[in-house]
Amino acid sequence: MFRDNAAFPERVDRESTALKKIVSPHVAEYVEDGCLNLHGGQTARYLMYEFVDGTPVTAYLSSAPIQPSEVLAFALGVLTGLTAIHRRFLAHRDL
């Protein structure tokens, strides 16, 4: 687990500092980060992002046939968001 990794708190600090500086309509906005006190004296770090309401990507892609122009617009949005993230020297780990 992440909480068992000694480098994880430092990574959260680094990433939250970088995330605060990302401004893009294609990236969920950073809200806050912190530390939770858990049962047994353990702690857990977290990063919180804005809630993005909408259709899940899997539902969108499995719906009616998608026009090539829609695919290109979707891909451009994703790539624009990734560019904003990469400019802060971050990598999206689960894309």
Side-chain angles (χ1 to χ4, degrees), residues 53-74:
D53 195 16
T55 304
V57 172
T58 52
Y60 173 73
L61 294 175
S62 65
S63 65
I66 302 169
Q67 297 298 314
S69 60
E70 290 179 83
V71 173
L72 288 173
F74 180 82

Side-chain angles (χ1 to χ4, degrees), residues 41 43 48 50 63-64 92:
T43 60
M48 184 185 300
E50 71 175 312
S63 65
H92 198 292

Side-chain angles (χ1 to χ4, degrees), residues 5-50:
N5 182 339
F8 184 69
E10 182 180 305
R11 191 178 95 195
V12 171
D13 290 340
R14 257 192 340 269
E15 289 185 10
S16 66
T17 298
L19 291 169
K20 292 173 189 176
K21 299 174 184 174
I22 296 174
V23 179
S24 170
H26 302 284
V27 177
E29 186 177 345
Y30 164 88
V31 175
E32 71 176 35
D33 62 277
C35 186
L36 298 173
N37 294 317
L38 304 175
H39 181 72
Q42 293 183 327
T43 60
R45 295 296 306 265
Y46 68 90
L47 297 171
M48 184 185 300
Y49 298 86
E50 71 175 312

